[in-house]
Amino acid sequence: MAQPSIKENFLRIQERIAAAANRVGRRPEDITLIGVSKTHPAIAIQEAFQAGVRHFGENRVQEWEIKRVGTNNLAGTWHLIGHLQGNKAAKAAKLFHTIDSLDDLALAQKLDRARTGVGFPAKLRVLIEVRVAQEETKSGAEIAALPELAEKIAALPQLELTGLMCIPPYLPDTAQVRPYFRRLRELRDELHAKLGLPLPVLSMGMSHDFEAAIEEGATEVRVGTALFGGRTALAVKR
Ligand SMILES: *Cc1c(COP(=O)(O)O)cnc(C)c1O
């Protein structure tokens, strides 16, 4: 049997986003779909854009640097969603509209410096990635360090801190992931109350659990496999 096209996948995901939003009395248009195009070629991004996807997520600076040559005709919004190394920060600040996986002040300062000067009309949007599962994951800021980190990042002139992001452990039963999503929302609410920062964005939920994330307040869902199809084992390791 033929694989469903990216367009068919997109339509199906949109229906699922709308159904999840409706279940909790939210508006589907308040949820942004980020098509996670890592390991997929530029032609797949072209196809997704044609279908109506406008936000794309990549997890490696170098991979995106190569692929963007094949997509620079598209007026998309490009998100870095993977761990960023300090030596790639300056490049990332120029290649992406938003860094969704910021977890360290030194990195934030590097991004801020890289965006200083002429040629950048808007601030660089950033989200703080929070380590919601202490044992299972390596990336993300510690919960205890969050208030101070958020306050310092928010003070950087070229960055615009708009919210939080998390990658909970992979659990096939989405009921078990839900507490992590809820935790991120609570942390956002606490930061908002404590620091007076608006922080409207919650980036959480992937192909297998984005509906639960939406029910818990996600405003951005990062969907790869359900949109583009599977990634090869080789590509995943890269
Ligand atoms: C790969 C990736 C996704 C998408 O995962 P799927 O399960 O393919 O939807 C989302 N977020 C991050 C940070 C990723 O690295």
Side-chain angles (χ1 to χ4, degrees):
M1 236 177 68
Q3 293 291 314
S5 67
I6 289 175
K7 180 166 185 124
E8 285 164 333
N9 288 340
F10 173 62
L11 295 175
R12 181 82 192 99
I13 292 164
Q14 276 195 312
E15 285 169 11
R16 289 169 59 190
I17 289 174
N22 289 331
R23 278 197 291 279
V24 290
R26 299 184 59 204
R27 299 187 311 167
E29 58 269 33
D30 290 342
I31 294 136
T32 301
L33 170 67
I34 300 171
V36 177
S37 48
K38 64 185 184 197
T39 78
H40 294 284
I43 186 89
I45 299 174
Q46 292 280 353
E47 203 179 324
F49 193 92
Q50 282 285 312
V53 181
R54 289 295 176 267
H55 289 254
F56 294 89
E58 289 280 340
N59 68 336
R60 292 172 61 97
V61 178
Q62 261 161 330
E63 181 183 338
W64 173 234
E65 195 178 17
I66 296 164
K67 273 155 56 171
R68 69 194 284 269
V69 177
T71 56
N72 57 19
N73 58 319
L74 307 178
T77 300
W78 311 102
H79 298 241
L80 180 70
I81 60 170
H83 179 69
L84 178 60
Q85 289 166 323
N87 62 359
K88 306 256 169 63
K91 197 170 261 182
K94 297 184 171 87
L95 293 180
F96 291 93
H97 294 107
T98 164
I99 308 294
D100 296 356
S101 46
L102 190 55
D103 61 2
D104 169 88
L105 182 63
L107 208 50
Q109 288 165 333
K110 282 190 179 130
L111 291 169
D112 183 63
R113 272 198 299 276
R115 293 282 285 214
T116 305
V118 288
F120 296 110
K123 292 184 178 195
L124 177 63
R125 193 193 86 148
V126 298
L127 304 179
I128 297 179
E129 180 183 344
V130 183
R131 197 165 152 188
V132 286
Q134 304 289 6
E135 312 80 29
E136 286 97 327
T137 47
K138 292 137 278 155
S139 62
E142 295 290 339
I143 288 172
L146 203 51
E148 197 187 333
L149 182 63
E151 191 168 25
K152 289 190 168 151
I153 291 176
L156 294 170
Q158 306 304 325
L159 303 189
E160 185 176 19
L161 175 63
T162 62
L164 305 179
M165 180 270 221
C166 72
I167 311 173
Y170 180 90
L171 298 163
D173 178 4
T174 54
Q176 291 178 283
V177 201
R178 222 174 252 276
Y180 296 107
F181 295 146
R182 199 169 301 152
R183 185 84 183 101
L184 195 72
R185 189 189 61 210
E186 288 166 0
L187 287 167
R188 187 274 309 274
D189 294 346
E190 287 166 24
L191 279 182
H192 175 61
K194 201 166 184 168
L195 306 174
L197 299 169
L199 305 176
V201 177
L202 289 176
S203 173
M204 55 190 195
M206 311 183 5
S207 288
H208 73 292
D209 58 14
F210 70 83
E211 284 141 313
I214 289 168
E215 290 175 15
E216 296 300 335
T219 63
E220 297 183 0
V221 292
R222 309 179 306 267
V223 179
T225 311
L227 181 65
F228 290 105
R231 296 179 288 271
T232 67
L234 182 72
V236 168
K237 274 198 215 105
R238 293 177 64 236

